[in-house]
Amino acid sequence: MHKHRDASQRLTIEFFDIEANLYPQVTQIVVDQFQLQPVGELVTGPEERFQEFQHLRKVVGLEWDFWSGYCVVAKTKSAEKLVREIATLIEARFQC
């Protein structure tokens, strides 16, 4: 697990060891656990997958790309605590 702020200063937590084929499983666990609602459609490419979700006014990105692995991104400042909680769940469930 690696925490940092991206170029837009959004809290981003990366899990380098989670492969693309686990994106649907990890995402479904997170969505179910935190009662997230999708915002927009899933974008899938050969080297990336991403979709935004929200809970109340908190918006997070659940993403995967070839360089970073699975990422949880706070799309709103109010979502930073939620991102940390999601990361804790992923770390525990997938032993990252």
Side-chain angles (χ1 to χ4, degrees):
M1 180 169 72
H2 174 73
K3 297 178 189 178
H4 67 91
R5 296 208 176 258
D6 67 11
S8 298
Q9 294 304 305
R10 299 175 299 191
L11 177 63
T12 302
I13 302 178
E14 301 170 331
F15 296 89
F16 301 116
D17 295 336
I18 296 179
E19 299 293 331
N21 63 325
L22 290 177
Y23 179 86
Q25 178 184 357
V26 175
T27 300
Q28 193 60 57
I29 289 168
V30 170
V31 166
D32 291 347
Q33 180 70 31
F34 293 96
Q35 301 175 345
L36 302 177
Q37 299 299 315
V39 177
E41 299 295 319
L42 171 65
V43 175
T44 303
E47 296 183 347
E48 64 186 359
R49 296 175 183 173
F50 57 90
Q51 188 170 10
E52 290 185 359
F53 295 87
Q54 71 179 28
H55 179 73
L56 303 174
R57 294 186 176 187
K58 301 169 188 165
V59 180
V60 299
L62 301 179
E63 308 174 357
W64 181 90
D65 70 51
F66 180 77
W67 300 275
S68 302
Y70 197 93
C71 300
V72 184
V73 182
K75 300 291 184 159
T76 57
K77 184 76 172 162
S78 62
E80 289 192 6
K81 181 179 178 189
L82 178 58
V83 164
R84 288 184 184 94
E85 291 170 355
I86 291 170
T88 298
L89 172 71
I90 293 171
E91 186 175 41
R93 291 288 294 264
F94 294 90
Q95 300 175 2
C96 299

